[in-house]
Amino acid sequence: MTANLPPQYDPQATEAKWQKYWEDNQTFKADPEKGGEPYCVVIPPPNVTGSLHMGHAFEETLIDVLVRYHRMTGRNTLWLPGTDHASIAVQTILEKQLKAEGKTRHDLGREKFLERAWEWKAESGNTITNQLRSLGVSVDWSRERFTMDEGLSAAVLEAFVRLYDEGLIYRGNYLVNWCPASQSAVSDLEVDQQEVDGHLWHFRYPLTDGSGYLEVATTRPETMLGDTGVAVNPEDDRYKHLIGKTVTLPIANREIPIIADEFVDPTFGTGCVKVTPAHDPNDFEMGKRHNLPFINIMNKDGTLNENAGDFQGQDRFVARKNVVKRLETDGVLVKIEDYKHTVPYSERGKVPVEPLISTQWFVKIDPLSQRALEALDKSNSPVFVPDRWTKVYRDWLVKLKDWCISRQLWWGHQIPAWYAVSETQGEITDTTPFIVAKNEAEAKEKATAKFGQDVKLARDPDVLDTWFSSGLWPFSTLGWPDETKDLEFYYPTTTLVTGFDIIFFWVARMTMMAGHFTEKMPFDTVYIHGLVLDENGQKMSKSKNNGIDPLLLIGKYGTDALRYTLVKEVVGAGQNIRMEYDRKTDESKSVEASRNFTNKLWNAARFVMMNLEGQTPQQLGSPHPPQPPLTEGGREEGLELCDRWILSRYYQVVQQSCNCLENYGLGEAAKGLYEFIWGDFCDWYIELVKSRLQQDAEQNSKKVAQQTFAFVLEGILKLLHPFMPHITEEIWHTLTQTGDDQCLALQAYPEANASLIDSDLEQQFELLFGTIRTIRNLRADSDIKPSVKVTAILQSENEKERQIISDGGVYIQDLAKVENLTVTASLDTDLGQTIAGVVGTVQVLIPLAGVVDLAALRAKLEKKLSKVEAEIKHTAARLTNQKFVDKATPDVVQGARDALAEAQKQAEILRDRLKVF
């Protein structure tokens, strides 16, 4: 029975079928025992709270293309999936649920709260991974990890204790980003810089000796209650004489010094800067440099504390208004200016973060960053693609400050520190002594030895920053700190694919942690991709509500169509791409074009298989190498001219695809395949060999056509598989009639056969195709019916061109419906009525006598020209009417201008055609 495909391609059924097959059969399960050259990628772990967005779809598709390609080249491949526990995000979800029930987490207590968190994880935490499955990602699901699973928790514990014992983790009182909504420290990555329309308030601070005042300006007037100095630039002649004097702080009536610091920009504002060391990171550094007092005026919930005097208990924004009123009443408010500036917002809490001095746990960065810098400077490890990100990464490592790793949350890795609260009246204070240990029993043993049998311990309630555990991801997921076979074989990983926006926060964390704990960089290469922008070229974000749902597009067009669109749009590594999208209809022309490509491939494959007489590529055998002409009519025994051409084009594309994928040119590879499959194979080769597949065709020619057809189609499926895995798997199984024990995903990627690449032949076919297109266009211009065969005269003084045309004459006759073809160096002057065109230096002429009714054609063209000229007259009149130009919208006016230009172009073409007749 002849195997063939259904008439219509059903992406939903096909994609679901193969996703299930790959997972059920553990197709992508890695095995270090098999040896070979490893290729390992760890997935950038999405938040367990997340759902698939276009950024995920883009990133995972890029990774999957690379992983599938390297697997097919024979490398021992592992793509390891997993998710991040997302401390703040999960806790926010749970606290919202509790709030709806009229409760807080403190009503439940820590133990019950964490039970509820794990229940949520079991019920809802797999949403993102199930959605990743719909992308067809070729991950090893048997190795799926979670940053709070048993193994990774052990790795986090080991890393913390080891760093602490080495003196690289400490507890101290420093300035951090504080989110009053979640009442936790947050990392820089969890801060969203938003531009807002605010104000700049100018105040006068009177000199204590009564000789005048200094004017300062601020966007946060409430913080002046915590000012402990005013700074000027030491080279600013306006204020040099005041350095060392003092001013009296309004409201607080506190005497504070005027200091000199090079940080101050004398050209900004008045050149005087209020210094609030406890509430601004720059002021914090100045405060340390000049030994200024640190006065905290804020509680952790965003209200002002006892150091704010009369404003104690007020919310920070209420206090802002009241402080301004008091300053105005006291006569020291100079002016209020409108001021657009950037305010850091907590991503999770949705409120402005507050720089706040707080006792937290920190990692000493310098020893870690120095090791990463050494690897970069001495070994260029890791390699960044594109290279421009190397400097960005290096600069960041140089500028890094100590890392605050504690968070005031319950969901996460609880810090393994136990406080001897019996030493501080039963409470944890900033001075309570503590023990760091891997478990409570070990802590108890150490504490007893230090403080006696009656010591009472309380564990630190804080959890670690999620970036601490994800910083261990490349090696903890492979079994570290145990010496596993996975760790031995697959580490360091090969490629990290990630966005530029987390080079600083995640990539640098991983290189520093890996350098310290494994003495190796965690990956060879970091491939930095751009962003998927919306239809207007804007970054997608929740605040703008301009996201595009990949699942919606998958449902409408299929996974392969979305994947191919995302990759094909990439021009050069690291570039942003724009997604075409109509929000009214939820349609995308670019994804639709890729869906059309899948249909084109499907229909071409059906045609091929219908003409193989039930034989597989293996049964047919490979096409023969070229043989010299042996038979009459110039046909070759073995490969014919068009067979040699398609094989040359095929191997050119194999070579191009391999080069591009090896060098992260994924978009270029996708475009090259599209052009070859749609243009060379479907539009040209299929047409060129149709006549050789007929029942009455010469049998040897027919067999070679079938061999070439089957061979190139199977090669196309292998080349395209990393980009469009589902449709290629389906067609391949039908084409090869392979059972369920094999799949395309594990076949060898094609290798280029340089001996069959013939650039001269490809150029010759460009001339043949140009000639065919020209004849087809001339036929269309002359309204020659498709069924009518014509005479064509091809004239060229170039002997090589004439030879090419003669050799390919049979193709010109077949595809351009030419009955009589003449190739000549010179033209007969008496050709009668003809229509002519040019391709290269070849003149193409078609005699019209007896082929078309010239009088009827002329009348038709004149009628069409008359209609176009009337349109030109009408449109030109509108555009010369000043009322229309003034009242119509710019789009309407421009539309009229475009229509006029198009009509004028059409009229010119019609007049040229009439000259012929």
PDB file of all heavy atoms in Angstrom, residues 2-7 602-615 686 690 693-695 702 706 709-710 713 734-735 737:
ATOM      1  N   THR A   2       0.539   2.209  -0.856  1.00  0.00           N
ATOM      2  CA  THR A   2       1.330   3.430  -0.963  1.00  0.00           C
ATOM      3  C   THR A   2       1.091   4.324   0.246  1.00  0.00           C
ATOM      4  O   THR A   2      -0.058   4.634   0.569  1.00  0.00           O
ATOM      5  CB  THR A   2       0.961   4.194  -2.245  1.00  0.00           C
ATOM      6  OG1 THR A   2       1.205   3.339  -3.353  1.00  0.00           O
ATOM      7  CG2 THR A   2       1.798   5.456  -2.374  1.00  0.00           C
ATOM      8  N   ALA A   3       2.158   4.716   0.935  1.00  0.00           N
ATOM      9  CA  ALA A   3       2.025   5.611   2.086  1.00  0.00           C
ATOM     10  C   ALA A   3       1.901   7.036   1.591  1.00  0.00           C
ATOM     11  O   ALA A   3       2.637   7.459   0.699  1.00  0.00           O
ATOM     12  CB  ALA A   3       3.246   5.481   2.985  1.00  0.00           C
ATOM     13  N   ASN A   4       0.963   7.781   2.170  1.00  0.00           N
ATOM     14  CA  ASN A   4       0.845   9.194   1.809  1.00  0.00           C
ATOM     15  C   ASN A   4       0.224   9.957   2.955  1.00  0.00           C
ATOM     16  O   ASN A   4      -0.311   9.381   3.910  1.00  0.00           O
ATOM     17  CB  ASN A   4       0.030   9.390   0.534  1.00  0.00           C
ATOM     18  CG  ASN A   4       0.463  10.658  -0.207  1.00  0.00           C
ATOM     19  OD1 ASN A   4       1.155  11.504   0.343  1.00  0.00           O
ATOM     20  ND2 ASN A   4       0.071  10.760  -1.458  1.00  0.00           N
ATOM     21  N   LEU A   5       0.273  11.264   2.822  1.00  0.00           N
ATOM     22  CA  LEU A   5      -0.229  12.154   3.862  1.00  0.00           C
ATOM     23  C   LEU A   5      -1.683  12.508   3.587  1.00  0.00           C
ATOM     24  O   LEU A   5      -2.115  12.506   2.424  1.00  0.00           O
ATOM     25  CB  LEU A   5       0.607  13.440   3.884  1.00  0.00           C
ATOM     26  CG  LEU A   5       2.103  13.274   4.165  1.00  0.00           C
ATOM     27  CD1 LEU A   5       2.849  14.548   3.790  1.00  0.00           C
ATOM     28  CD2 LEU A   5       2.336  12.944   5.635  1.00  0.00           C
ATOM     29  N   PRO A   6      -2.445  12.872   4.624  1.00  0.00           N
ATOM     30  CA  PRO A   6      -3.804  13.367   4.399  1.00  0.00           C
ATOM     31  C   PRO A   6      -3.768  14.643   3.549  1.00  0.00           C
ATOM     32  O   PRO A   6      -2.747  15.340   3.510  1.00  0.00           O
ATOM     33  CB  PRO A   6      -4.316  13.673   5.814  1.00  0.00           C
ATOM     34  CG  PRO A   6      -3.429  12.890   6.723  1.00  0.00           C
ATOM     35  CD  PRO A   6      -2.097  12.815   6.051  1.00  0.00           C
ATOM     36  N   PRO A   7      -4.872  14.979   2.874  1.00  0.00           N
ATOM     37  CA  PRO A   7      -4.889  16.169   2.008  1.00  0.00           C
ATOM     38  C   PRO A   7      -4.599  17.465   2.761  1.00  0.00           C
ATOM     39  O   PRO A   7      -3.982  18.375   2.210  1.00  0.00           O
ATOM     40  CB  PRO A   7      -6.311  16.169   1.442  1.00  0.00           C
ATOM     41  CG  PRO A   7      -6.765  14.758   1.558  1.00  0.00           C
ATOM     42  CD  PRO A   7      -6.117  14.205   2.783  1.00  0.00           C
ATOM     43  N   TRP A 602       3.904  20.570   3.238  1.00  0.00           N
ATOM     44  CA  TRP A 602       3.004  19.412   3.325  1.00  0.00           C
ATOM     45  C   TRP A 602       2.546  18.984   1.928  1.00  0.00           C
ATOM     46  O   TRP A 602       2.614  17.797   1.577  1.00  0.00           O
ATOM     47  CB  TRP A 602       1.804  19.790   4.187  1.00  0.00           C
ATOM     48  CG  TRP A 602       0.846  18.677   4.491  1.00  0.00           C
ATOM     49  CD1 TRP A 602      -0.301  18.377   3.825  1.00  0.00           C
ATOM     50  CD2 TRP A 602       0.938  17.728   5.554  1.00  0.00           C
ATOM     51  NE1 TRP A 602      -0.939  17.303   4.396  1.00  0.00           N
ATOM     52  CE2 TRP A 602      -0.191  16.892   5.470  1.00  0.00           C
ATOM     53  CE3 TRP A 602       1.869  17.503   6.567  1.00  0.00           C
ATOM     54  CZ2 TRP A 602      -0.427  15.844   6.358  1.00  0.00           C
ATOM     55  CZ3 TRP A 602       1.633  16.474   7.466  1.00  0.00           C
ATOM     56  CH2 TRP A 602       0.501  15.653   7.356  1.00  0.00           C
ATOM     57  N   ASN A 603       2.093  19.959   1.144  1.00  0.00           N
ATOM     58  CA  ASN A 603       1.590  19.644  -0.190  1.00  0.00           C
ATOM     59  C   ASN A 603       2.708  19.152  -1.110  1.00  0.00           C
ATOM     60  O   ASN A 603       2.496  18.252  -1.927  1.00  0.00           O
ATOM     61  CB  ASN A 603       0.904  20.875  -0.800  1.00  0.00           C
ATOM     62  CG  ASN A 603      -0.377  21.223  -0.069  1.00  0.00           C
ATOM     63  OD1 ASN A 603      -1.035  20.348   0.494  1.00  0.00           O
ATOM     64  ND2 ASN A 603      -0.740  22.497  -0.048  1.00  0.00           N
ATOM     65  N   ALA A 604       3.896  19.740  -0.983  1.00  0.00           N
ATOM     66  CA  ALA A 604       5.032  19.279  -1.782  1.00  0.00           C
ATOM     67  C   ALA A 604       5.387  17.839  -1.415  1.00  0.00           C
ATOM     68  O   ALA A 604       5.661  17.001  -2.296  1.00  0.00           O
ATOM     69  CB  ALA A 604       6.233  20.190  -1.562  1.00  0.00           C
ATOM     70  N   ALA A 605       5.386  17.550  -0.104  1.00  0.00           N
ATOM     71  CA  ALA A 605       5.700  16.191   0.340  1.00  0.00           C
ATOM     72  C   ALA A 605       4.657  15.195  -0.169  1.00  0.00           C
ATOM     73  O   ALA A 605       4.998  14.074  -0.575  1.00  0.00           O
ATOM     74  CB  ALA A 605       5.783  16.143   1.867  1.00  0.00           C
ATOM     75  N   ARG A 606       3.388  15.586  -0.145  1.00  0.00           N
ATOM     76  CA  ARG A 606       2.324  14.722  -0.684  1.00  0.00           C
ATOM     77  C   ARG A 606       2.584  14.427  -2.154  1.00  0.00           C
ATOM     78  O   ARG A 606       2.455  13.286  -2.619  1.00  0.00           O
ATOM     79  CB  ARG A 606       0.961  15.388  -0.545  1.00  0.00           C
ATOM     80  CG  ARG A 606       0.406  15.417   0.868  1.00  0.00           C
ATOM     81  CD  ARG A 606      -1.046  15.856   0.885  1.00  0.00           C
ATOM     82  NE  ARG A 606      -1.916  14.756   0.466  1.00  0.00           N
ATOM     83  CZ  ARG A 606      -2.728  14.792  -0.576  1.00  0.00           C
ATOM     84  NH1 ARG A 606      -2.768  15.844  -1.365  1.00  0.00           N
ATOM     85  NH2 ARG A 606      -3.494  13.747  -0.866  1.00  0.00           N
ATOM     86  N   PHE A 607       2.939  15.467  -2.920  1.00  0.00           N
ATOM     87  CA  PHE A 607       3.179  15.281  -4.351  1.00  0.00           C
ATOM     88  C   PHE A 607       4.354  14.323  -4.576  1.00  0.00           C
ATOM     89  O   PHE A 607       4.300  13.428  -5.413  1.00  0.00           O
ATOM     90  CB  PHE A 607       3.465  16.621  -5.024  1.00  0.00           C
ATOM     91  CG  PHE A 607       3.772  16.500  -6.488  1.00  0.00           C
ATOM     92  CD1 PHE A 607       2.747  16.401  -7.419  1.00  0.00           C
ATOM     93  CD2 PHE A 607       5.091  16.459  -6.937  1.00  0.00           C
ATOM     94  CE1 PHE A 607       3.028  16.258  -8.778  1.00  0.00           C
ATOM     95  CE2 PHE A 607       5.382  16.318  -8.289  1.00  0.00           C
ATOM     96  CZ  PHE A 607       4.345  16.223  -9.211  1.00  0.00           C
ATOM     97  N   VAL A 608       5.423  14.528  -3.813  1.00  0.00           N
ATOM     98  CA  VAL A 608       6.586  13.652  -3.959  1.00  0.00           C
ATOM     99  C   VAL A 608       6.189  12.206  -3.692  1.00  0.00           C
ATOM    100  O   VAL A 608       6.484  11.293  -4.481  1.00  0.00           O
ATOM    101  CB  VAL A 608       7.724  14.086  -3.003  1.00  0.00           C
ATOM    102  CG1 VAL A 608       8.839  13.053  -3.010  1.00  0.00           C
ATOM    103  CG2 VAL A 608       8.266  15.453  -3.409  1.00  0.00           C
ATOM    104  N   MET A 609       5.507  11.990  -2.553  1.00  0.00           N
ATOM    105  CA  MET A 609       5.179  10.609  -2.169  1.00  0.00           C
ATOM    106  C   MET A 609       4.203   9.953  -3.138  1.00  0.00           C
ATOM    107  O   MET A 609       4.271   8.741  -3.378  1.00  0.00           O
ATOM    108  CB  MET A 609       4.648  10.590  -0.736  1.00  0.00           C
ATOM    109  CG  MET A 609       5.763  10.709   0.302  1.00  0.00           C
ATOM    110  SD  MET A 609       5.171  10.573   1.989  1.00  0.00           S
ATOM    111  CE  MET A 609       5.185  12.279   2.476  1.00  0.00           C
ATOM    112  N   MET A 610       3.323  10.741  -3.717  1.00  0.00           N
ATOM    113  CA  MET A 610       2.392  10.184  -4.700  1.00  0.00           C
ATOM    114  C   MET A 610       3.120   9.712  -5.954  1.00  0.00           C
ATOM    115  O   MET A 610       2.591   8.921  -6.726  1.00  0.00           O
ATOM    116  CB  MET A 610       1.331  11.225  -5.075  1.00  0.00           C
ATOM    117  CG  MET A 610       0.246  11.396  -4.033  1.00  0.00           C
ATOM    118  SD  MET A 610      -1.139  12.393  -4.616  1.00  0.00           S
ATOM    119  CE  MET A 610      -0.398  14.011  -4.742  1.00  0.00           C
ATOM    120  N   ASN A 611       4.329  10.208  -6.151  1.00  0.00           N
ATOM    121  CA  ASN A 611       5.091   9.867  -7.350  1.00  0.00           C
ATOM    122  C   ASN A 611       6.273   8.939  -7.075  1.00  0.00           C
ATOM    123  O   ASN A 611       7.129   8.757  -7.933  1.00  0.00           O
ATOM    124  CB  ASN A 611       5.576  11.148  -8.035  1.00  0.00           C
ATOM    125  CG  ASN A 611       4.460  11.870  -8.755  1.00  0.00           C
ATOM    126  OD1 ASN A 611       4.059  11.488  -9.857  1.00  0.00           O
ATOM    127  ND2 ASN A 611       3.918  12.904  -8.120  1.00  0.00           N
ATOM    128  N   LEU A 612       6.324   8.373  -5.866  1.00  0.00           N
ATOM    129  CA  LEU A 612       7.399   7.433  -5.546  1.00  0.00           C
ATOM    130  C   LEU A 612       6.960   5.984  -5.682  1.00  0.00           C
ATOM    131  O   LEU A 612       7.749   5.072  -5.437  1.00  0.00           O
ATOM    132  CB  LEU A 612       7.914   7.677  -4.116  1.00  0.00           C
ATOM    133  CG  LEU A 612       8.566   9.033  -3.843  1.00  0.00           C
ATOM    134  CD1 LEU A 612       9.101   9.091  -2.414  1.00  0.00           C
ATOM    135  CD2 LEU A 612       9.678   9.329  -4.842  1.00  0.00           C
ATOM    136  N   GLU A 613       5.670   5.804  -6.030  1.00  0.00           N
ATOM    137  CA  GLU A 613       5.133   4.455  -6.236  1.00  0.00           C
ATOM    138  C   GLU A 613       5.341   3.574  -5.007  1.00  0.00           C
ATOM    139  O   GLU A 613       5.677   2.387  -5.093  1.00  0.00           O
ATOM    140  CB  GLU A 613       5.773   3.816  -7.484  1.00  0.00           C
ATOM    141  CG  GLU A 613       5.483   4.610  -8.756  1.00  0.00           C
ATOM    142  CD  GLU A 613       6.223   4.081  -9.976  1.00  0.00           C
ATOM    143  OE1 GLU A 613       7.339   3.546  -9.802  1.00  0.00           O
ATOM    144  OE2 GLU A 613       5.674   4.205 -11.083  1.00  0.00           O
ATOM    145  N   GLY A 614       5.149   4.188  -3.830  1.00  0.00           N
ATOM    146  CA  GLY A 614       5.211   3.437  -2.581  1.00  0.00           C
ATOM    147  C   GLY A 614       6.601   3.147  -2.074  1.00  0.00           C
ATOM    148  O   GLY A 614       6.764   2.472  -1.055  1.00  0.00           O
ATOM    149  N   GLN A 615       7.611   3.631  -2.745  1.00  0.00           N
ATOM    150  CA  GLN A 615       8.987   3.340  -2.333  1.00  0.00           C
ATOM    151  C   GLN A 615       9.509   4.408  -1.372  1.00  0.00           C
ATOM    152  O   GLN A 615       9.166   5.576  -1.476  1.00  0.00           O
ATOM    153  CB  GLN A 615       9.897   3.289  -3.573  1.00  0.00           C
ATOM    154  CG  GLN A 615       9.509   2.224  -4.579  1.00  0.00           C
ATOM    155  CD  GLN A 615      10.350   2.331  -5.834  1.00  0.00           C
ATOM    156  OE1 GLN A 615      11.393   1.699  -5.953  1.00  0.00           O
ATOM    157  NE2 GLN A 615       9.896   3.137  -6.772  1.00  0.00           N
ATOM    158  N   ILE A 686      10.118  20.761  -8.539  1.00  0.00           N
ATOM    159  CA  ILE A 686       8.917  19.951  -8.751  1.00  0.00           C
ATOM    160  C   ILE A 686       8.365  20.158 -10.159  1.00  0.00           C
ATOM    161  O   ILE A 686       7.970  19.201 -10.836  1.00  0.00           O
ATOM    162  CB  ILE A 686       7.856  20.276  -7.673  1.00  0.00           C
ATOM    163  CG1 ILE A 686       8.285  19.674  -6.325  1.00  0.00           C
ATOM    164  CG2 ILE A 686       6.484  19.752  -8.075  1.00  0.00           C
ATOM    165  CD1 ILE A 686       7.346  19.977  -5.175  1.00  0.00           C
ATOM    166  N   LYS A 690       8.202  17.144 -13.388  1.00  0.00           N
ATOM    167  CA  LYS A 690       6.853  16.574 -13.517  1.00  0.00           C
ATOM    168  C   LYS A 690       6.718  15.674 -14.745  1.00  0.00           C
ATOM    169  O   LYS A 690       6.149  14.580 -14.677  1.00  0.00           O
ATOM    170  CB  LYS A 690       5.811  17.695 -13.568  1.00  0.00           C
ATOM    171  CG  LYS A 690       5.338  18.146 -12.201  1.00  0.00           C
ATOM    172  CD  LYS A 690       4.246  19.203 -12.315  1.00  0.00           C
ATOM    173  CE  LYS A 690       3.743  19.602 -10.926  1.00  0.00           C
ATOM    174  NZ  LYS A 690       2.725  20.680 -11.019  1.00  0.00           N
ATOM    175  N   LEU A 693       7.857  12.077 -14.495  1.00  0.00           N
ATOM    176  CA  LEU A 693       7.167  11.195 -13.566  1.00  0.00           C
ATOM    177  C   LEU A 693       5.913  10.575 -14.174  1.00  0.00           C
ATOM    178  O   LEU A 693       5.204   9.826 -13.493  1.00  0.00           O
ATOM    179  CB  LEU A 693       6.798  11.963 -12.290  1.00  0.00           C
ATOM    180  CG  LEU A 693       8.001  12.544 -11.520  1.00  0.00           C
ATOM    181  CD1 LEU A 693       7.527  13.507 -10.443  1.00  0.00           C
ATOM    182  CD2 LEU A 693       8.842  11.428 -10.908  1.00  0.00           C
ATOM    183  N   GLN A 694       5.628  10.910 -15.426  1.00  0.00           N
ATOM    184  CA  GLN A 694       4.445  10.372 -16.086  1.00  0.00           C
ATOM    185  C   GLN A 694       4.613   8.867 -16.316  1.00  0.00           C
ATOM    186  O   GLN A 694       5.716   8.322 -16.336  1.00  0.00           O
ATOM    187  CB  GLN A 694       4.221  11.087 -17.424  1.00  0.00           C
ATOM    188  CG  GLN A 694       4.076  12.595 -17.322  1.00  0.00           C
ATOM    189  CD  GLN A 694       2.930  13.022 -16.422  1.00  0.00           C
ATOM    190  OE1 GLN A 694       1.835  12.450 -16.483  1.00  0.00           O
ATOM    191  NE2 GLN A 694       3.176  14.016 -15.574  1.00  0.00           N
ATOM    192  N   GLN A 695       3.470   8.201 -16.542  1.00  0.00           N
ATOM    193  CA  GLN A 695       3.488   6.747 -16.759  1.00  0.00           C
ATOM    194  C   GLN A 695       4.347   6.355 -17.953  1.00  0.00           C
ATOM    195  O   GLN A 695       5.034   5.337 -17.946  1.00  0.00           O
ATOM    196  CB  GLN A 695       2.046   6.242 -16.966  1.00  0.00           C
ATOM    197  CG  GLN A 695       1.201   6.237 -15.708  1.00  0.00           C
ATOM    198  CD  GLN A 695       1.679   5.227 -14.676  1.00  0.00           C
ATOM    199  OE1 GLN A 695       2.244   4.195 -15.035  1.00  0.00           O
ATOM    200  NE2 GLN A 695       1.460   5.530 -13.400  1.00  0.00           N
ATOM    201  N   LYS A 702      12.918   8.465 -15.044  1.00  0.00           N
ATOM    202  CA  LYS A 702      11.897   8.507 -13.992  1.00  0.00           C
ATOM    203  C   LYS A 702      12.475   8.069 -12.648  1.00  0.00           C
ATOM    204  O   LYS A 702      12.256   8.707 -11.622  1.00  0.00           O
ATOM    205  CB  LYS A 702      10.735   7.603 -14.379  1.00  0.00           C
ATOM    206  CG  LYS A 702       9.590   7.589 -13.380  1.00  0.00           C
ATOM    207  CD  LYS A 702       8.446   6.724 -13.880  1.00  0.00           C
ATOM    208  CE  LYS A 702       7.265   6.753 -12.939  1.00  0.00           C
ATOM    209  NZ  LYS A 702       6.124   5.947 -13.448  1.00  0.00           N
ATOM    210  N   GLN A 706      12.828  10.154  -9.177  1.00  0.00           N
ATOM    211  CA  GLN A 706      12.271   9.685  -7.907  1.00  0.00           C
ATOM    212  C   GLN A 706      13.354   9.631  -6.822  1.00  0.00           C
ATOM    213  O   GLN A 706      13.119  10.028  -5.674  1.00  0.00           O
ATOM    214  CB  GLN A 706      11.655   8.297  -8.096  1.00  0.00           C
ATOM    215  CG  GLN A 706      10.385   8.297  -8.919  1.00  0.00           C
ATOM    216  CD  GLN A 706       9.896   6.882  -9.209  1.00  0.00           C
ATOM    217  OE1 GLN A 706      10.698   5.948  -9.347  1.00  0.00           O
ATOM    218  NE2 GLN A 706       8.585   6.715  -9.290  1.00  0.00           N
ATOM    219  N   PHE A 709      14.185  13.228  -5.887  1.00  0.00           N
ATOM    220  CA  PHE A 709      13.032  13.753  -5.155  1.00  0.00           C
ATOM    221  C   PHE A 709      13.061  13.287  -3.696  1.00  0.00           C
ATOM    222  O   PHE A 709      12.980  14.080  -2.752  1.00  0.00           O
ATOM    223  CB  PHE A 709      11.759  13.202  -5.802  1.00  0.00           C
ATOM    224  CG  PHE A 709      10.835  14.265  -6.313  1.00  0.00           C
ATOM    225  CD1 PHE A 709       9.837  13.927  -7.221  1.00  0.00           C
ATOM    226  CD2 PHE A 709      10.908  15.583  -5.890  1.00  0.00           C
ATOM    227  CE1 PHE A 709       8.962  14.881  -7.702  1.00  0.00           C
ATOM    228  CE2 PHE A 709      10.041  16.541  -6.360  1.00  0.00           C
ATOM    229  CZ  PHE A 709       9.071  16.182  -7.275  1.00  0.00           C
ATOM    230  N   ALA A 710      13.143  11.958  -3.512  1.00  0.00           N
ATOM    231  CA  ALA A 710      13.084  11.362  -2.175  1.00  0.00           C
ATOM    232  C   ALA A 710      14.289  11.776  -1.338  1.00  0.00           C
ATOM    233  O   ALA A 710      14.148  12.111  -0.145  1.00  0.00           O
ATOM    234  CB  ALA A 710      13.011   9.843  -2.287  1.00  0.00           C
ATOM    235  N   LEU A 713      13.991  15.555  -0.424  1.00  0.00           N
ATOM    236  CA  LEU A 713      12.904  15.785   0.537  1.00  0.00           C
ATOM    237  C   LEU A 713      13.302  15.307   1.923  1.00  0.00           C
ATOM    238  O   LEU A 713      13.097  16.013   2.924  1.00  0.00           O
ATOM    239  CB  LEU A 713      11.630  15.080   0.087  1.00  0.00           C
ATOM    240  CG  LEU A 713      10.454  15.181   1.078  1.00  0.00           C
ATOM    241  CD1 LEU A 713      10.079  16.640   1.343  1.00  0.00           C
ATOM    242  CD2 LEU A 713       9.238  14.395   0.570  1.00  0.00           C
ATOM    243  N   THR A 734       6.110   9.194   7.478  1.00  0.00           N
ATOM    244  CA  THR A 734       5.313   8.733   6.340  1.00  0.00           C
ATOM    245  C   THR A 734       6.200   8.456   5.139  1.00  0.00           C
ATOM    246  O   THR A 734       6.033   7.452   4.442  1.00  0.00           O
ATOM    247  CB  THR A 734       4.250   9.790   5.973  1.00  0.00           C
ATOM    248  OG1 THR A 734       3.530  10.164   7.150  1.00  0.00           O
ATOM    249  CG2 THR A 734       3.272   9.247   4.947  1.00  0.00           C
ATOM    250  N   LEU A 735       7.167   9.342   4.897  1.00  0.00           N
ATOM    251  CA  LEU A 735       8.068   9.181   3.756  1.00  0.00           C
ATOM    252  C   LEU A 735       8.926   7.923   3.881  1.00  0.00           C
ATOM    253  O   LEU A 735       9.077   7.147   2.935  1.00  0.00           O
ATOM    254  CB  LEU A 735       8.974  10.414   3.643  1.00  0.00           C
ATOM    255  CG  LEU A 735      10.093  10.355   2.601  1.00  0.00           C
ATOM    256  CD1 LEU A 735       9.505  10.354   1.186  1.00  0.00           C
ATOM    257  CD2 LEU A 735      11.053  11.541   2.780  1.00  0.00           C
ATOM    258  N   GLN A 737       8.410   5.467   6.059  1.00  0.00           N
ATOM    259  CA  GLN A 737       7.603   4.328   6.535  1.00  0.00           C
ATOM    260  C   GLN A 737       8.295   3.654   7.718  1.00  0.00           C
ATOM    261  O   GLN A 737       8.345   2.429   7.845  1.00  0.00           O
ATOM    262  CB  GLN A 737       7.341   3.337   5.390  1.00  0.00           C
ATOM    263  CG  GLN A 737       6.557   3.959   4.237  1.00  0.00           C
ATOM    264  CD  GLN A 737       6.359   3.041   3.060  1.00  0.00           C
ATOM    265  OE1 GLN A 737       6.138   1.846   3.244  1.00  0.00           O
ATOM    266  NE2 GLN A 737       6.418   3.576   1.845  1.00  0.00           N
TER     267      GLN A 737
END
